[in-house]
Amino acid sequence: MKFAATFCFATVFTLFVIGCDSQQKIPDAGMGYGKPISQDVMPENENTSTETGTQTSIEQSKPAQTNDVTKLPPLMRTTARALMPAQNIKGTYTADEGKNKGKSFQFTYEMTPNGLILNIEGLRRVYFEWDSQGNLILKRDDDFQENVRVMYNPGLVILPAKLEEREPKIKGVSKVEVFGLTNGNRRAVGTVSNEITAIWQSQIPLNNQEIKAYIIREKRMLDLDIAKVQLTLDTAFAPGKGELLQMEWRTQKALDIFVENSKSKLSRTK
């Protein structure tokens, strides 16, 4: 599961020129997951926000323009802490799309003094922390299938402390380092910019029930010394349960040549 998505370094090191594909189409925010909480859920145009350097910022949504035809509905207010588990839990994820399609993975959430660790057996281990404002921060991502450890400094905001704006405009720039998971050798270094562009609500199936969830759309741009990677992530969080699903769209290129367009999806099934 690409919950805190890394990137396929093996593809870069064994690179063949396979042509210049255009970037894959990504559905508008608000479309494509479960049943909408509101009947008027429709995609909302994404507006650009002001760059704030290396510091993460939260800006209030601007009033809708008169030419906007469709809108995301208002959010039911909640907090990041309310959405994440408050105790150790376990369950199962199943890959619906991507290279692991059809496979199931056992997972655990483990509480730590500063946050929590999501461990998905055979897939990845993700380290989260809470910052002083109550944002959920991604600090480290161990990808077992790619055999890499990715470190972010400062960590990336992936879930805002307060969920009350449809377009939160949370942005940041961090240093990223990639190490071999087995030998610890550094394999790549660079920067990553991330932005949470939209939040909406939907009902996601779990254990034959419809669970109310908040879906966060995040965009990441990784600029490494070996490759450039563009990611769009839609992650669904449910109260007290953490992540119910994540959809990832990825475009990876080296030497200014598109290497790969791919997508994957992992859904909680237990």
Side-chain angles (χ1 to χ4, degrees):
M1 182 178 192
K2 300 294 185 182
F3 274 144
T6 53
F7 20 84
C8 184
F9 293 96
T11 301
V12 177
F13 292 127
T14 60
L15 174 64
F16 288 94
V17 176
I18 60 174
C20 263
D21 292 337
S22 59
Q23 188 139 6
Q24 60 189 318
K25 180 174 176 55
I26 298 171
D28 292 317
M31 306 299 288
Y33 303 108
K35 298 179 181 179
I37 296 295
S38 170
Q39 294 301 313
D40 62 352
V41 171
M42 290 293 287
E44 183 167 17
N45 295 335
E46 294 179 357
N47 301 317
T48 57
S49 60
T50 304
E51 179 59 57
T52 58
T54 59
Q55 298 299 316
T56 298
S57 67
I58 302 179
E59 300 179 2
Q60 298 296 320
S61 295
K62 297 180 180 180
Q65 300 297 316
T66 56
N67 61 348
D68 286 346
V69 177
T70 56
K71 303 288 180 287
L72 290 171
L75 288 176
M76 297 171 57
R77 295 185 178 185
T78 189
T79 65
R81 288 186 179 271
L83 296 178
M84 298 302 289
Q87 59 186 0
N88 296 347
I89 63 173
K90 60 182 179 180
T92 306
Y93 288 112
T94 299
D96 302 314
E97 295 189 46
K99 66 180 181 180
N100 293 306
K101 184 175 181 179
K103 296 181 180 179
S104 294
F105 302 89
Q106 302 301 307
F107 78 88
T108 59
Y109 271 107
E110 176 187 350
M111 301 299 104
T112 68
N114 298 318
L116 60 164
I117 300 171
L118 171 60
N119 185 72
I120 307 173
E121 292 183 3
L123 201 57
R124 66 195 321 101
R125 183 184 296 116
V126 188
Y127 293 75
F128 301 109
E129 292 184 4
W130 299 105
D131 69 8
S132 58
Q133 287 77 43
N135 299 303
L136 186 66
I137 306 297
L138 169 63
K139 297 290 291 185
R140 167 180 154 187
D141 184 2
D142 295 350
D143 189 318
F144 302 136
Q145 294 189 337
E146 299 297 341
N147 194 33
V148 294
R149 171 172 296 161
V150 185
M151 306 290 293
Y152 302 97
N153 185 25
L156 309 182
V157 175
I158 64 165
L159 188 57
K162 296 180 180 180
L163 287 77
E164 53 191 5
E165 299 290 343
R166 298 169 300 181
E167 299 177 88
K169 296 298 187 294
I170 300 175
K171 301 182 69 173
V173 178
S174 300
K175 179 181 179 181
V176 60
E177 294 182 282
V178 183
F179 301 89
L181 192 56
T182 304
N183 57 27
N185 294 334
R186 192 166 77 174
R187 298 174 58 175
V189 64
T191 60
V192 55
S193 61
N194 72 306
E195 179 180 7
I196 296 176
T197 63
I199 304 176
W200 66 97
Q201 291 176 262
S202 187
Q203 297 184 89
I204 306 297
L206 177 64
N207 292 333
N208 297 318
Q209 299 180 3
E210 296 292 335
I211 307 297
K212 292 183 178 180
Y214 292 74
I215 301 180
I216 313 295
R217 171 158 292 188
E218 180 190 358
K219 293 186 177 181
R220 294 184 196 167
M221 298 282 294
L222 295 111
D223 188 356
L224 303 171
D225 49 8
I226 62 171
K228 296 182 186 296
V229 184
Q230 301 176 21
L231 299 171
T232 298
L233 305 168
D234 284 353
T235 309
F237 298 87
K241 299 182 182 299
E243 297 173 348
L244 292 191
L245 68 80
Q246 187 178 75
M247 186 76 194
E248 175 200 287
W249 295 267
R250 172 200 304 260
T251 297
Q252 179 174 304
K253 59 182 178 180
L255 304 176
D256 293 325
I257 299 173
F258 282 96
V259 177
E260 179 184 20
N261 281 333
S262 63
K263 64 179 180 179
S264 61
K265 180 182 178 183
L266 202 76
S267 300
R268 178 108 160 248
T269 52
K270 180 179 179 182

